Amino acid sequence: QQLFCSPLVPSSVPWSVLKQGQPSVKGQRRMAGSPNQETLVEFVVSLEPFRSAQLEEIENLLANHDQELTGDFSKPHLLPTVEGKDPSLKYISPGTVAALLTGNFSSFIESSIVVDCRYPYEYEGGHIKGAVNLPLQRDVEEFLLEQPILPLDANKRVIIIFHCEFSVERGPKMCRFLRERDRSCHEYPQLHYPELYVLKGGYREFFFQFPSHCEPRDYRPMKHPA
């Protein structure tokens, strides 16, 4: 915000300096009016290439910056991410979730919550150990927003991981819902949960790679005949 609100060129820079090295604009149409108005038009046109390059550089820096930081821009994401279907979300691999469950990140994380967005019959047929079943938006609001789970240690984090069967529809949708509702409760960019992830491949991929981290040790598809 500060970058975009700042003047592009300091007002103290003399006009003669600004014109040095700038390409001349031939055939420029002059505006009727005072000399000051005519000078202003010439100034804006002659600096246009510089202005475009500067704005493009700023936009690129901000875009890259946002991709690396949590939702409140306070710190970099802790967990290693992988490419996913929705570029606006942060995806993590089944291996990262397994490492999380075995305490590999315990010195940095105070609480990690795996949100299983599948239907209850899918969850009961097999789920990641410790995962909570929140298939509806109101379930997510009640569990995570009515009494937010905040870290007692300011140096540690609370992270939320969403998934469904494949993490293509229900899990990502619920992740976006929580972020939207969380945003609406705060003055931007503050958040209760700045660090949200989606488990790539969903429960199906996690179960086939790490069945020992599932209970019961089984996988019930959404389209199960029963």
Side-chain angles (χ1 to χ4, degrees):
Q1 185 180 15
Q2 198 170 22
L3 285 170
F4 282 111
C5 290
S6 301
L8 192 61
V9 180
S11 57
S12 59
V13 179
W15 168 242
S16 59
V17 174
L18 289 174
K19 290 198 68 175
Q20 290 176 4
Q22 294 294 332
S24 60
V25 182
K26 296 183 179 181
Q28 178 182 341
R29 186 172 58 180
R30 300 177 67 86
M31 285 181 61
S34 67
N36 287 338
Q37 288 175 314
E38 293 175 352
T39 302
L40 179 61
V41 173
E42 183 179 338
F43 172 81
V44 172
V45 174
S46 62
L47 282 180
E48 190 61 34
F50 173 79
R51 177 179 177 277
S52 298
Q54 288 290 89
L55 287 179
E56 184 178 357
E57 182 180 359
I58 290 170
E59 289 169 356
N60 290 337
L61 285 171
L62 289 177
N64 294 332
H65 190 63
D66 291 350
Q67 288 174 2
E68 298 301 325
L69 298 181
T70 55
D72 60 357
F73 312 124
S74 63
K75 58 181 75 71
H77 283 84
L78 174 66
L79 302 181
T81 58
V82 294
E83 187 177 352
K85 182 181 178 180
D86 187 339
S88 69
L89 301 177
K90 297 297 181 184
Y91 291 81
I92 56 176
S93 69
T96 297
V97 175
L100 185 68
L101 295 175
T102 53
N104 285 22
F105 299 94
S106 58
S107 58
F108 305 101
I109 296 175
E110 185 170 299
S111 179
S112 60
I113 302 163
V114 178
V115 177
D116 190 328
C117 302
R118 296 176 300 158
Y119 297 123
Y121 69 84
E122 296 174 85
Y123 176 85
E124 292 162 5
H127 58 268
I128 298 172
K129 289 180 180 179
V132 292
N133 187 209
L134 306 176
L136 303 176
Q137 291 182 350
R138 68 169 179 266
D139 298 329
V140 169
E141 288 188 287
E142 290 173 3
F143 188 87
L144 294 174
L145 293 177
E146 287 190 1
Q147 292 186 330
I149 302 166
L150 305 176
L152 300 177
D153 184 343
N155 295 319
K156 291 195 173 184
R157 312 183 186 207
V158 172
I159 66 170
I160 315 292
I161 302 164
F162 290 85
H163 78 84
C164 51
E165 185 175 5
F166 305 106
S167 287
V168 171
E169 182 64 31
R170 293 174 288 175
K173 184 177 181 179
M174 200 68 80
C175 183
R176 287 191 294 269
F177 170 76
L178 176 61
R179 174 54 54 82
E180 290 168 3
R181 292 292 296 116
D182 201 355
R183 284 270 187 234
S184 69
C185 300
H186 293 88
E187 181 178 346
Y188 186 85
Q190 297 174 355
L191 291 165
H192 288 312
Y193 305 107
E195 198 157 357
L196 306 180
Y197 297 97
V198 174
L199 168 59
K200 186 173 183 179
Y203 180 74
R204 182 182 185 278
E205 187 64 30
F206 185 88
F207 172 75
F208 286 132
Q209 291 189 32
F210 303 98
S212 62
H213 287 298
C214 302
E215 57 182 9
R217 193 177 292 193
D218 202 357
Y219 163 42
R220 182 177 297 166
M222 184 182 74
K223 295 184 178 180
H224 193 282

